[in-house]
Amino acid sequence: MQKKRTTLKDIARATGVHVSTVSRALDPTERKSITPEVVAKIQAAAERLDYRPNRIAFGLRTNRTMTVGVVIPDITNPIFPPILRGIESVLEPLGYASIIVNTDSEREREVRLLEVLRDRGVDGLIHAAVLRSDPSIAKAAQDGLSVVTLNRRVENSNIPYVINDEDMGICEMLRHLTKLGHRRIAHLAGPQDLSTGQLRLAAFRNAAKRMSIDIDPQLIVTAMRFDEDEGARCTRELLASGNDFTAVLCANDRLALGCIDVLRENGLDCPSDISVSGFNDMPFLQLARPRLTTVRIQQYDAGITAASILLRLMNAGADDDIPLETVLPVELLERESTGPVAAQKR
Amino acid sequence: MQKKRTTLKDIARATGVHVSTVSRALDPTERKSITPEVVAKIQAAAERLDYRPNRIAFGLRTNRTMTVGVVIPDITNPIFPPILRGIESVLEPLGYASIIVNTDSEREREVRLLEVLRDRGVDGLIHAAVLRSDPSIAKAAQDGLSVVTLNRRVENSNIPYVINDEDMGICEMLRHLTKLGHRRIAHLAGPQDLSTGQLRLAAFRNAAKRMSIDIDPQLIVTAMRFDEDEGARCTRELLASGNDFTAVLCANDRLALGCIDVLRENGLDCPSDISVSGFNDMPFLQLARPRLTTVRIQQYDAGITAASILLRLMNAGADDDIPLETVLPVELLERESTGPVAAQKR
DNA sequence: CTGAAAGCGCTAACAC
DNA sequence: GTGTTAGCGCTTTCAG
């Protein structure tokens, strides 16, 4: 059993004042209404007895747990750890702790974990795993829970969100590929029930139109998950369809890695036969060969931004001028997986 | 503001019984002392009013928060996410939430975060970032907090720990290298204030002695951190010293990756000129070329094991027969970064 | 300026 | 079986 800790009552007894006086003396904002000598005496006793406020009791009384929930698809996906560090870097110094949960992109799990977090009375929520239509999180927000979504957004809601400039990223990548002479460009699209997947596909179509590039609908294949296996599957499908292409613009890095593997299996070299590009510039990507041309997103900063917005949300209530949308800039990274279109294609 | 939730009192009012009756009816172990009809009525009301127990109040009353702390050096190190998922897989279904904190291997931070966790009244602690001598965690354990350490252990204490079979791993790796003909084998040792670094160096020395291999003290270089930069620095030092070697056994994968880079910079190919081995088989390692020969440790299972021990610790008190030491098996993975010693060495 | 008292939501003796 | 009561440690009216 835990050794019992000193409470306000203990200090009150030691100093001969009432607990409420102790409480006030220890609260920076209430302190001013107490005689300095009394404050000093109380602080000394608190120090001596190694007093540590009981956050549980505080939470019960004030309905603030100083805890936030962080919902992500899967911590083993390496783009999330930097985001979490970013969140922690702003919340932890302010006394907040975060409870991180993994949804594995399963709606059922997401709903259940959201309940768990609400049961624990989190003061706010950073949600990086919402679906485009996500009633449970919308309801939570409506019930007054402070929530901000990260990387994704829930449509038709006024939940603030922090996303990357997907449009710009896709657009610059497409321009990069066309500069290299590519015209028949395939797209491995991400899951369309996630806003990232949907936005990047839309961005691809728009950019192509703007640049007057014909996109063969046959060259757009949609992955069911953002992982290597799906990248591989989609690439096989692409090859089996018999349509010509000289480049594959993938909706994220992991799809691209799977793609390159399958191309290699089929005797196609990247980039000399086919160019492949990714998105995210995830950690450890630099280990891969060829080094992947991709779009860097700001992972750590996304965490910082989302946490900052959540803070404003939690402290201000609903009527403040919190920005609904925050778009973080992205950066094109030209590396080795893209190159000039082969003289004789395929 | 949060919409107010229904409480036991609300249910009591709705059903015309006393709150304590409601409390009992909703508690599986107390339920049997209540008339079935009353239980049914109460459960129906609870359902209808969407009752969710307030864990804060529960925690204040029972002194159990159903929360555990997890202390790790840095979540961006990819060996930790699988461990966390392992922990979560046993704790979460039982209603526990975990608060994860990163120490960045800084003692000051570790001490402060430990205090934060204790202030929050965690029921137990899984600590994967202890130092070999770690008074703060020893004190916490002595004060009655349930704690188990992971990957590392604190010496001269009776804190249960879960580690990998470092001895076996190093030994098998050394045998593997000698089979390939290597005799002049360097060791990039990990930080000696971490038990992993220290154990692996000791294992290296012991194994060499057992196999009657002379180890030149000059060929042992100690890294200050377990990362690529330190692997690179140590390798430069090794090369600069002018001592001959045909293989480098590294205390972890990241040191090995840094090592291979520097060898390449110096015109030395791995494995044809020099063999290099790692330890851990961390996620995404398979992206690296040459594919690294390494020792696989059980990351997910380590999390499961530590969490299971913590559970027993929390539920049993100090007098149960909890194993002090759990050693998880490891597995040698022969891949491409090690090969037969070159005919003409270096 | 400080004390008294109430109460956050829940559990756990103790009555009856 | 169920109600009564007390209280976990804290904040926050309300008096004085």
Side-chain angles (χ1 to χ4, degrees), chain A residues 106-159:
Chain A
E106 291 167 20
R107 169 160 243 139
E108 214 171 298
R109 241 177 103 75
E110 187 210 334
V111 171
R112 194 172 54 73
L113 290 170
L114 185 59
E115 266 185 9
V116 167
L117 292 174
R118 298 187 74 183
D119 282 356
R120 289 192 166 263
V122 294
D123 295 336
L125 205 63
I126 296 180
H127 202 312
V130 287
L131 306 172
R132 282 172 58 199
S133 162
D134 202 317
S136 64
I137 187 67
K139 180 166 180 310
Q142 213 149 14
D143 287 355
L145 184 64
S146 298
V147 20
V148 33
T149 68
L150 182 41
N151 277 3
R152 309 179 181 178
R153 66 193 223 203
V154 8
E155 294 171 354
N156 305 318
S157 81
N158 51 2
I159 300 175

Side-chain angles (χ1 to χ4, degrees), chain B residues 281-315:
Chain B
D281 190 36
M282 70 178 196
F284 303 98
L285 192 60
Q286 70 275 13
L287 294 179
R289 293 294 176 275
R291 286 161 64 239
L292 197 69
T293 293
T294 190
V295 175
R296 169 172 294 165
I297 60 175
Q298 302 186 232
Q299 306 169 99
Y300 190 78
D301 283 350
I304 290 186
T305 308
S308 308
I309 292 180
L310 182 63
L311 276 179
R312 293 177 56 188
L313 225 43
M314 292 189 299
N315 296 325

Side-chain angles (χ1 to χ4, degrees), chain B residues 233-288:
Chain B
R233 183 187 66 75
C234 293
T235 305
R236 281 196 200 95
E237 198 173 300
L238 216 46
L239 290 171
S241 76
N243 293 288
D244 261 10
F245 57 93
T246 63
V248 187
L249 188 157
C250 302
N252 90 344
D253 295 329
R254 302 184 66 174
L255 293 174
L257 292 174
C259 174
I260 291 175
D261 276 349
V262 167
L263 291 178
R264 189 178 295 135
E265 280 173 18
N266 286 267
L268 262 22
D269 180 69
C270 167
S272 67
D273 294 318
I274 303 223
S275 289
V276 177
S277 73
F279 207 110
N280 281 358
D281 190 36
M282 70 178 196
F284 303 98
L285 192 60
Q286 70 275 13
L287 294 179

Side-chain angles (χ1 to χ4, degrees), chain B residues 178-228:
Chain B
T178 55
K179 266 194 201 151
L180 290 169
H182 296 279
R183 284 299 172 274
R184 294 198 56 80
I185 300 172
H187 179 47
L188 294 202
Q192 292 299 297
D193 55 345
L194 306 182
S195 70
T196 345
Q198 187 253 338
L199 281 175
R200 288 178 189 172
L201 173 55
F204 180 73
R205 289 205 164 105
N206 288 337
K209 187 174 293 177
R210 260 193 317 254
M211 298 185 203
S212 314
I213 302 176
D214 275 344
I215 294 298
D216 184 342
Q218 305 253 40
L219 289 183
I220 296 182
V221 187
T222 304
M224 273 143 38
R225 274 163 285 110
F226 267 130
D227 63 22
E228 290 80 1

Side-chain angles (χ1 to χ4, degrees), chain B residues 112-239:
Chain B
R112 194 172 54 73
L113 290 171
L114 185 58
E115 266 184 8
V116 167
L117 292 174
R118 298 187 74 184
D119 282 357
R120 288 190 168 265
V122 293
D123 295 336
L125 205 64
I126 296 180
H127 203 312
V130 287
L131 305 172
R132 281 172 58 199
S133 161
D134 203 315
S136 64
I137 187 69
K139 180 166 179 310
Q142 213 149 14
D143 287 357
L145 184 65
S146 298
V147 20
V148 34
T149 68
L150 181 41
N151 276 2
R152 309 178 181 178
R153 65 192 224 205
V154 7
E155 294 171 357
N156 305 317
S157 81
N158 51 2
I159 300 175
Y161 55 92
V162 178
I163 55 173
N164 311 106
D165 198 340
E166 326 278 359
D167 252 315
M168 181 65 80
I170 294 288
C171 188
E172 291 202 358
M173 186 60 80
L174 198 55
R175 181 171 305 129
H176 166 69
L177 291 173
T178 55
K179 266 194 201 151
L180 290 169
H182 296 279
R183 284 299 172 274
R184 294 198 56 80
I185 300 172
H187 179 47
L188 294 202
Q192 292 299 297
D193 55 345
L194 306 182
S195 70
T196 345
Q198 187 253 338
L199 281 175
R200 288 178 189 172
L201 173 55
F204 180 73
R205 289 205 164 105
N206 288 337
K209 187 174 293 177
R210 260 193 317 254
M211 298 185 203
S212 314
I213 302 176
D214 275 344
I215 294 298
D216 184 342
Q218 305 253 40
L219 289 183
I220 296 182
V221 187
T222 304
M224 273 143 38
R225 274 163 285 110
F226 267 130
D227 63 22
E228 290 80 1
D229 285 349
E230 277 292 291
R233 183 187 66 75
C234 293
T235 305
R236 281 196 200 95
E237 198 173 300
L238 216 46
L239 290 171

Side-chain angles (χ1 to χ4, degrees), chain B residues 7-8 20 23-24 51 54 58 61:
Chain B
T7 73
L8 287 189
S20 61
S23 173
R24 285 190 273 253
Y51 171 73
N54 182 326
F58 175 90
R61 187 59 235 247

